Amino acid sequence: MPALKKTAMTVISAALLSTFVVSPASAVGKDASDDQPKPPADMSQVGGELLGRTGTQVKLGPDAPVLPKGLTGRSWIVADAESGQVLASHNPHWRLPPASTLKMLFADTVMPALQPKTQKYTVKDEDLADVGEGSSLVGVKEKLTYTVHDLWLGVFLRSGNDAVHVLSAMYGGVPKTVDAMQAHAEELQALDTKVVSPDGYDAPEQVSSAYDLTLFARSGLQKADFREYCSTAEAQFPGEEKNGKRESFAIQNTNKLLTGADGVEPYKGIAGVKNGYTTHAGNTFTGVAERDGKVLLVTVMNPSSGKPHAVYDEAADLLDWGFDASDKVTPVGELVPPKSAATSTGKGPAAAQGKGEGRNGPAHASKTAAAEDGGGGVGIALGITGGVLVLLAGGVFLVNRRWPLPDLMRRRPRP
């Protein structure tokens, strides 16, 4: 009889492990060692109680693959971009410096207001006065004229803080831009985020999280222009005027999973989104990829393996795992909808923000997602008001299941 009890307990234990696994410290690499910072014990539970726990959270089904070995990111998350289901996470609400991945929030906030993208702007000296020392730059010059389209290419491809500051000036100045970004983060329920600079440059108290960065990417990717810019591998950027003719020079996207630069293998199906690096943030990356009709988002923050391209390697490994495991795991949480989308029909406070604004304000920017996508999708019942997603009809927040992700022909051939 004792032997039977022991066998029964073994079966029960095995069943439990097959459905709910919290990876041991050894599975997350150096981040768990004594010389690394530790996540706080009281992290946010937005999106689900498990997302507020420290360590790795995943619920594996019987046929699910195990998580990749050697993950060293302090924080990461893998989620279904369409349903919002979080497939697995590791300290996703740990508030960490975001570096240039914060530019996703900048673009999602400011892009709808700066239309049309063909409008031109001549750069003033004061527009570039506060660009941080050592910033990544695309090469914007004072007294030269650029289109909004040019500047967004500079933001997404070269992560140009100079382009960010010029677009901020067009929006109404850096302080106004920062306030708008903070308000938009709160509307998206990205409550781990504190915005201090619009470009992600290291600043006291400026933080975000893997969870929040994924919300920014998911929101931004619903905009056709955002999708175009974040997926562009190479472009020409306006240079100096010589002999009465405006020259240009080539710029390449710093997202190595997109371009395959520096020996990083391009990821099959990648369609953006944004990478970053600063001294305090380390390497950060959010990516979106599609495979067999499934669209996944992954964010990795500050891997500690010491490998040259660890943030890309770990993101690619997590995407591979997510595509293999997506139908074989129980979600550990969700990407929450914007506050207004969860509770209103576009007639609440968020919608009211768009009234009475000038040309560069929310009223000028408002448009439907169906119009953005050329009517080619199964329309999402969303409008954009000053960078804030507002539900126009229906009762839930949905991402278009026919997301027109950018044509792979615009990028390097995939293996």
Side-chain angles (χ1 to χ4, degrees):
M1 191 69 178
L4 288 174
K5 287 184 178 180
K6 184 176 181 180
T7 301
M9 289 301 294
T10 301
V11 170
I12 292 170
S13 298
L16 287 172
L17 284 172
S18 70
T19 56
F20 180 71
V21 175
V22 178
S23 297
S26 59
V28 299
K30 291 184 180 179
D31 184 54
S33 66
D34 290 339
D35 61 349
Q36 292 292 323
K38 302 296 189 295
D42 57 346
M43 291 183 291
S44 168
Q45 295 184 9
V46 170
E49 185 269 334
L50 291 179
L51 301 184
R53 296 186 185 181
T54 58
T56 302
Q57 307 299 324
V58 63
K59 295 182 179 181
L60 300 175
D63 299 321
V66 297
L67 284 164
K69 294 181 179 179
L71 297 174
T72 66
R74 289 184 183 175
S75 175
W76 54 257
I77 190 170
V78 185
D80 186 305
E82 294 169 335
S83 69
Q85 294 178 343
V86 176
L87 307 183
S89 67
H90 180 74
N91 305 324
H93 281 294
W94 191 353
R95 305 180 77 195
L96 297 167
S100 287
T101 45
L102 193 65
K103 289 182 172 76
M104 294 186 295
L105 174 62
F106 169 74
D108 194 37
T109 303
V110 172
M111 192 175 287
L114 299 184
Q115 297 291 342
K117 59 186 177 184
T118 54
Q119 67 176 290
K120 297 180 179 180
Y121 180 80
T122 300
V123 179
K124 304 177 179 66
D125 292 346
E126 57 266 29
D127 297 339
L128 302 176
D130 295 327
V131 174
E133 183 178 354
S135 288
S136 54
L137 305 172
V138 65
V140 174
K141 301 296 183 183
E142 298 88 342
K143 300 179 177 62
L144 292 183
T145 299
Y146 301 85
T147 65
V148 168
H149 176 74
D150 295 330
L151 294 168
W152 282 123
L153 288 172
V155 170
F156 277 95
L157 272 67
R158 295 304 304 164
S159 204
N161 290 3
D162 47 357
V164 170
H165 279 251
V166 173
L167 288 165
S168 296
M170 296 179 69
Y171 189 77
V174 168
K176 178 180 177 180
T177 302
V178 167
D179 289 345
M181 289 171 66
Q182 189 66 56
H184 188 36
E186 292 169 5
E187 163 63 18
L188 294 177
Q189 302 200 63
L191 305 183
D192 299 323
T193 298
K194 169 67 174 176
V195 182
V196 179
S197 67
D199 48 25
Y201 189 82
D202 284 334
E205 298 185 8
Q206 179 154 274
V207 291
S208 190
S209 67
Y211 184 89
D212 285 10
L213 294 174
T214 308
L215 290 181
F216 302 152
R218 191 183 188 214
S219 178
L221 285 164
Q222 293 178 65
K223 300 170 177 61
D225 287 347
F226 187 106
R227 293 194 299 271
E228 174 191 348
Y229 294 127
C230 78
S231 68
T232 300
E234 297 178 349
Q236 291 291 314
F237 193 80
E240 302 276 1
E241 292 185 10
K242 293 184 179 180
N243 301 320
K245 183 179 179 181
R246 188 76 179 267
E247 297 185 341
S248 64
F249 55 92
I251 57 174
Q252 185 181 61
N253 203 309
T254 55
N255 177 354
K256 293 179 174 59
L257 285 187
L258 187 70
T259 64
D262 300 329
V264 175
E265 183 177 352
Y267 190 83
K268 188 174 182 179
I270 194 77
V273 175
K274 191 72 188 75
N275 59 296
Y277 173 81
T278 66
T279 302
H280 293 293
N283 287 288
T284 59
F285 176 73
T286 297
V288 63
E290 182 178 17
R291 185 181 298 176
D292 299 327
K294 180 75 69 176
V295 182
L296 297 184
L297 281 163
V298 63
T299 296
V300 178
M301 301 186 75
N302 201 351
S304 59
S305 74
K307 296 179 181 178
H309 307 299
V311 75
Y312 298 112
D313 293 341
E314 295 187 19
D317 288 345
L318 285 167
L319 283 170
D320 284 343
W321 174 85
F323 285 120
D324 290 342
S326 60
D327 297 323
K328 304 168 185 174
V329 297
T330 300
V332 295
E334 66 170 343
L335 301 178
V336 294
K339 288 191 295 186
S340 57
T343 60
S344 77
T345 57
K347 298 180 181 179
Q353 291 176 8
K355 297 180 179 179
E357 297 286 340
R359 175 174 172 78
N360 288 332
H364 178 71
S366 296
K367 53 187 168 184
T368 65
E372 284 190 326
D373 293 338
V378 288
I380 33 182
L382 292 172
I384 301 163
T385 303
V388 176
L389 293 169
V390 181
L391 197 64
L392 298 177
V396 293
F397 174 71
L398 296 173
V399 175
N400 189 342
R401 290 195 63 80
R402 294 183 195 171
W403 250 2
L405 287 177
D407 186 352
L408 294 181
M409 294 300 292
R410 287 215 302 274
R411 303 190 297 281
R412 291 181 53 170
R414 290 301 184 269

